Amino acid sequence: MGGNLVGSLILHGLVAAVIFGWAFIFRSYTPPWGEQASTAGAIQATMVASLPLPPKQRDLDTGVLTSETPSPAPLIAKEKTEPPPTPHEVPIPTKAVKPPKVAPKATPQPPKHVQPVPPQPQKAATGDTGGIRIPQATMELKNGTASMSVQNRTFGARFAYYVNIVNRTVAQNWYTQEADPIASNGKSVTIVFDINREGIPSNARIETRSGSPTLDTSAMRALQRVDGFGPLPQGDHITVEYTFNYRRQ
Amino acid sequence: MSATQTKLQRAIVLAAAVITIAAVTGCHKKNSGVNPSSLGPTTASTGEAPTATITADPLTIDQGQSVVLNWRTQNADTVTIDGIGQVNANGTQTVSPSTSTNFHLTAKGAGGTTDANVRVTVRVPEAPTVPTNESDMGSEEVFHQNVKDVFFDYDSYDLRPDAQSSIAQAASYLSAHPAIRVVIGGYCDSRGSAEYNLALGENRANSARTALVNAGVAASRLRVISYGKEKQFCTEENETCWQQNRRAQFSLDR
Amino acid sequence: MFSPVRTSTPTPARLPFCMAVLCLLVLGASSLHAQDWFKTETSSGASSIRIAVADFKPLSTDPQTAPFKHTFDTTLFNDLTNAGIFDVVSKSLQPQSTPGAPAEINLQQWSTAPVSAAMVAFGGFSVQGGRVICNGYLFDAKNTQYPQVLAKQYNEAASEDSARQIAHRFADEIIFRLGGGTPGIAETKIYYVKIAGGNKEIWAMDYDGANQHPVTHLGTISISPRISPDNSRLAFSSLGKNGFQIRMFSLLLNRAVNFPSAGGTNLSPAWSPNGKDVAYSSSRTGDPEIWIADANGGLARRITSFRGPDVSPTYNPKTGSQIAWVSGRTGLPQIYIMDADGSAVQRMTDGGYASSPSWSPNGQFLAFAWNRKYGPGAPGGQDIYVMEIATKRWIQLTHDSGPCDFPSWSPDGRHIVYANSANGRASQTRIWSMLADGTQKHPLTGTGTDMPNWSWK
């Protein structure tokens, strides 16, 4: 028992020393966040609504606001809040690399900035590698694919560009973080909706449940965010089947 | 011959004679009316009174502009207008009076004389009146020596203590010279939004105005204009200059 | 979720080990620095439409064709690039061919690498008999069976300006068709203040900075131009003998129309989206408050009664039933919103010096100028921020470029125009345009311009 107590005291002292020592040593290097005039007003945003711009491509690395949550805080701050919850997970070696991703589950603000940035290939803005070449009906996304078909087959063939617009618009409004990554991984949900002459979607309903309620909800919400697709090039209305396939990258 | 035959012949002759006489007298009655075509032109020879009207367009002019006179007469054979002379019975004439004039038309005819008038008003610019001692507001220098501008803290329109004493001094000077009217200008420094600074300048000038009114100056003598940061007293980017610009300025309201 | 593996009583050896790992992590994390600007990633990864804009084929030998065609080509390319929703193929990657008609285009050329376009805009351009005749086509490069999306023909009197306007119209058609039904902004205008000597006049220009020309010639200081929703009248505030008054200028009659003067300083007019009401700041009662009058200036009624300056109202353009404005009732000016009758007042900013709100067309965002560190001894920067009204979360769009002010949303909600002065001096102010997420900033005018206002359509 004494050994436990001594060990515990030593470790607590070590932790305290590290924290205070680090703060003391590194404080002068980086300006305190949010107080320096030139960096004052750093961003604090997890916008729910979206600016009506398409999400920026990987090649753009200046400050971008996407249709989803922009980084609410610089990375350091998030790191600081991690130590308290993580001691329970650290014993598992595999989890050691996860905390930056897992912590968001503890806090209500999921920052999407951390992991995805490094692995993305730097694509030149002028498309040296070419645009993403995808079949019309399927769109490849970061956390899965989205595909759709129009029940009226001639419409789909004749106006493939419109099908593409519907696909793209819904995909851009799909916030994949709303789906629980573990429960939804590998699952698909299909929703069906109508589009009227003015391009306004309505009557959205789930046709095939995925088994992950969060994935189903995220799919329905994606459609709710869309105001319209633009007027139908032909006809009074079309019915669309839209499938979201969630696949963690 | 029988007596009845003789009576019958007498009756017939009598009737014929009556009818002939009646025919002649009937026509005579018609001829007693006047045949209008037998009358000549309606000149004085008939004895009717003349009528006349005269109008001017426009009725009010500035000095140097012209007026068109327009007149109509009836039953007159001599028509004259004062200042012009004899004119036709109906006509128009353009005139340029230099002062307000009454145009008098006289129409004379066999039936009498009649006249008509129209008055044309000419606006003459008034000569500037020499200010008497009563309304003299005095010179600018004397004014500014005694009524000093009031300065404010940033984003504030409350009077500071040094401003309060300036106001008191200004109020006593203005009370001693009741003819002076003042325009108070509100100004802001160059930072911040143009629109907000105009509103803030307004508040600053009003604050000074209220203070003067409370000190006894009549409100009708004080006028307020805000210039915000549109007009600046200096243009450096330092606190000294900014303080110079945050003011309510007093000027003579001529 | 994860299930932490832990025994009920961790052995002493485990605890020091986990804490040591933790310390290492914390130390390792210290090497990461606070970033000035967030770097985010697309959530879904869905790409923008990749569109190629071919040079149009000259169809006539008229000598005027070449310069007008050049204007047309450049304008069309810039309009589609500025739209913010396309990935426009760079001119250097395009094939050299200039197809002028559907029969002439080889879609294979355009849909394979290096172009890899999903859409191709092409057509023919000619000047004949003093008229510009232009046929424009938009083809879906991946749908070889039914490629045609748009086919448009334009016929206007020949001039440099009409070549530009035709390009704007064609670009707007493409944007409308491919952008989900939101009309393009290529034909919209920006009204702004031009500083000329000691005076300020109201000028107008196209959304891309072309065609700058004066609107007023009053010889005094005129500021805060606001165009009406139907583009017929321009309201602004002008310095007269009795201070600033609201003036109304009819663009159809090309002269001022009547708007009654009132006492005090009258500033910052704002139109309601139905064009019937004008809200403005008036100090006729002594303190600047927000008033609303009808478009002719009658039926003026006051809707705020705070001590302190109230100025710069702007309506919610989607509903017309709310107004955002700047109030100094607590000291430094802050942004508030209220219903159009003055009730339900709600404060939006929590400090600093906030001014010049502009409400986004979809009703969800406010753009405004904010200096979060204002005051003597703590000089800060004034930058453009966008705040989501429902959650009050905000994003900073400009940084380290000098004071920025007077943001104004475009009618498609994708662009913001604003005034920026690189060194803080009023004479160096120019008007810039950017996408609503802060990217693609570029200047529209030279120096000496201020207070831009984007038209509604």
Side-chain angles (χ1 to χ4, degrees), chain C residues 57-394:
Chain C
K57 179 175 177 178
L59 290 178
S60 69
T61 50
D62 189 316
Q64 278 186 314
T65 307
F68 288 167
K69 194 187 87 68
H70 179 74
T71 307
F72 174 88
D73 286 334
T74 335
T75 310
L76 182 64
F77 187 86
N78 288 337
D79 284 347
L80 292 175
T81 312
N82 287 338
I85 56 171
F86 297 124
D87 177 17
V88 180
V89 173
S90 150
K91 289 275 194 187
S92 57
L93 288 179
Q94 286 175 2
Q96 293 299 314
S97 61
T98 57
E104 296 174 22
I105 185 163
N106 177 357
L107 280 179
Q108 190 81 4
Q109 232 178 6
W110 296 86
S111 62
T112 53
V115 188
S116 307
M119 293 279 171
V120 185
F122 66 96
F125 187 96
S126 66
V127 177
Q128 285 167 19
R131 298 201 63 88
V132 164
I133 299 171
C134 177
N135 303 316
Y137 302 91
L138 179 68
F139 269 34
D140 184 343
K142 301 208 183 321
N143 187 354
T144 43
Q145 208 186 355
Y146 297 101
Q148 180 164 307
V149 177
L150 276 183
K152 292 278 164 191
Q153 189 178 51
Y154 303 96
N155 185 333
E156 300 289 336
S159 76
E160 177 91 11
D161 192 56
S162 69
R164 237 194 342 251
Q165 294 302 323
I166 290 177
H168 285 326
R169 280 160 60 190
F170 188 48
D172 271 349
E173 285 282 351
I174 295 176
I175 293 167
F176 179 70
R177 197 59 69 94
L178 299 181
T182 309
I185 51 167
E187 294 169 272
T188 56
K189 308 276 185 259
I190 296 176
Y191 296 86
Y192 60 102
V193 169
K194 175 113 173 136
I195 302 168
N199 293 333
K200 295 186 178 177
E201 303 281 3
I202 310 293
W203 281 46
M205 62 181 170
D206 291 351
Y207 90 105
D208 56 1
N211 196 16
Q212 298 174 10
H213 61 276
V215 174
T216 67
H217 300 90
L218 295 174
T220 178
I221 294 184
S222 302
I223 55 171
S224 306
R226 294 280 192 280
I227 185 72
S228 65
D230 60 359
N231 284 338
S232 66
R233 277 183 286 188
L234 186 66
F236 57 98
S237 178
S238 189
L239 178 61
K241 182 175 174 300
N242 289 323
F244 279 86
Q245 298 294 331
I246 304 290
R247 296 220 198 286
M248 196 67 75
F249 189 93
S250 166
L251 294 174
L252 304 173
L253 305 172
N254 210 22
R255 61 171 172 83
V257 291
N258 191 36
F259 196 96
S261 303
T265 300
N266 299 278
L267 301 169
S268 58
W271 291 87
S272 66
N274 61 6
K276 294 207 174 71
D277 288 328
V278 175
Y280 56 101
S281 167
S282 177
S283 66
R284 66 190 76 174
T285 57
D287 188 31
E289 304 282 6
I290 304 296
W291 289 63
I292 298 182
D294 65 29
N296 300 319
L299 300 178
R301 55 208 181 270
R302 192 176 72 161
I303 55 170
T304 62
S305 51
F306 302 127
R307 182 181 180 271
D310 294 283
V311 76
S312 306
T314 179
Y315 274 87
N316 179 337
K318 191 144 188 267
T319 64
S321 59
Q322 282 177 298
I323 291 178
W325 87 105
V326 175
S327 178
R329 64 191 285 222
T330 60
L332 287 178
Q334 306 296 318
I335 306 234
Y336 292 74
I337 59 175
M338 62 179 167
D339 291 347
D341 61 0
S343 59
V345 172
Q346 196 185 345
R347 179 168 162 175
M348 304 305 292
T349 53
D350 59 356
Y353 186 114
S355 61
S356 319
S358 176
W359 210 308
S360 71
N362 65 1
Q364 291 174 347
F365 299 99
L366 277 177
F368 53 96
W370 205 0
N371 184 344
R372 304 192 71 226
K373 284 274 170 198
Y374 182 87
Q382 186 168 307
D383 285 306
I384 307 293
Y385 287 68
V386 168
M387 175 186 281
E388 184 186 17
I389 293 170
T391 62
K392 294 202 185 134
R393 295 183 185 276
W394 45 262

Side-chain angles (χ1 to χ4, degrees), chain A residues 203-226:
Chain A
N203 201 9
R205 52 223 184 258
I206 297 179
E207 181 159 298
T208 315
R209 294 192 178 278
S210 63
S212 162
T214 49
L215 180 59
D216 295 346
T217 318
S218 76
M220 291 292 280
R221 286 227 189 100
L223 189 59
Q224 280 160 15
R225 289 189 190 103
V226 178

Side-chain angles (χ1 to χ4, degrees), chain A residues 99-124:
Chain A
K101 254 195 185 164
V102 165
K105 294 296 176 277
T107 66
Q109 290 182 5
K112 273 307 188 196
H113 52 278
V114 185
Q115 294 309 317
V117 175
Q120 297 309 331
Q122 284 301 309
K123 296 200 187 211

Side-chain angles (χ1 to χ4, degrees), chain B residues 54-129:
Chain B
I54 181 168
T55 58
D57 177 39
L59 281 172
T60 310
I61 56 167
D62 291 324
Q63 199 173 41
Q65 291 181 329
S66 316
V67 175
V68 174
L69 297 173
N70 194 334
W71 62 94
R72 294 265 174 277
T73 62
Q74 282 184 340
N75 304 334
D77 43 17
T78 319
V79 179
T80 54
I81 298 180
D82 292 348
I84 297 177
Q86 177 146 12
V87 295
N88 290 337
N90 305 315
T92 64
Q93 175 93 24
T94 307
V95 296
S96 296
S98 56
T99 56
S100 301
T101 316
N102 190 16
F103 289 96
H104 179 221
L105 179 148
T106 314
K108 256 196 275 248
T113 310
T114 185
D115 52 16
N117 288 299
V118 69
R119 181 165 182 79
V120 173
T121 311
V122 178
R123 283 187 292 245
V124 176
E126 289 172 7
T129 57

Side-chain angles (χ1 to χ4, degrees), chain B residues 1-250:
Chain B
M1 293 278 154
S2 67
T4 53
Q5 268 189 328
T6 314
K7 266 196 186 168
L8 196 56
Q9 280 175 349
R10 272 189 198 159
I12 289 171
V13 171
L14 194 58
V18 167
I19 289 169
T20 311
I21 291 171
V24 171
T25 53
C27 291
H28 177 65
K29 267 208 175 119
K30 272 190 194 169
N31 284 335
S32 67
V34 175
N35 187 351
S37 56
S38 67
L39 291 174
T42 53
T43 55
S45 51
T46 56
E48 290 292 322
T51 63
T53 55
I54 181 168
T55 58
D57 177 39
L59 281 172
T60 310
I61 56 167
D62 291 324
Q63 199 173 41
Q65 291 181 329
S66 316
V67 175
V68 174
L69 297 173
N70 194 334
W71 62 94
R72 294 265 174 277
T73 62
Q74 282 184 340
N75 304 334
D77 43 17
T78 319
V79 179
T80 54
I81 298 180
D82 292 348
I84 297 177
Q86 177 146 12
V87 295
N88 290 337
N90 305 315
T92 64
Q93 175 93 24
T94 307
V95 296
S96 296
S98 56
T99 56
S100 301
T101 316
N102 190 16
F103 289 96
H104 179 221
L105 179 148
T106 314
K108 256 196 275 248
T113 310
T114 185
D115 52 16
N117 288 299
V118 69
R119 181 165 182 79
V120 173
T121 311
V122 178
R123 283 187 292 245
V124 176
E126 289 172 7
T129 57
V130 176
T132 66
N133 274 342
E134 278 276 303
S135 56
D136 188 4
M137 292 208 271
S139 70
E140 295 273 351
E141 297 82 15
V142 176
F143 177 80
H144 283 294
Q145 268 167 18
N146 289 294
V147 180
K148 294 204 173 49
D149 293 344
V150 171
F151 295 88
F152 296 87
D153 287 334
Y154 88 96
D155 191 59
S156 167
Y157 53 96
D158 297 318
L159 290 173
R160 303 190 298 216
D162 60 315
Q164 310 267 11
S165 53
S166 292
I167 291 280
Q169 192 189 4
S172 60
Y173 181 81
L174 289 173
S175 303
H177 297 80
I180 293 183
R181 289 200 318 281
V182 181
V183 60
I184 308 175
Y187 297 82
C188 299
D189 67 39
S190 62
R191 301 170 296 172
S193 159
E195 291 176 342
Y196 184 76
N197 277 331
L198 276 166
L200 182 61
E202 173 83 14
N203 274 354
R204 283 181 176 152
N206 267 321
S207 175
R209 180 178 185 270
T210 310
L212 283 175
V213 168
N214 289 342
V217 182
S220 57
R221 295 169 58 190
L222 305 170
R223 191 161 71 92
V224 160
I225 289 189
S226 170
Y227 295 99
K229 64 171 190 168
E230 304 303 314
K231 295 202 191 287
Q232 300 268 282
F233 292 89
C234 57
T235 52
E236 295 86 40
E237 297 281 323
N238 53 40
E239 178 57 30
T240 323
C241 177
W242 291 332
Q243 175 64 85
Q244 278 298 300
N245 278 319
R246 295 196 295 265
R247 70 167 79 186
Q249 185 203 44
F250 300 103

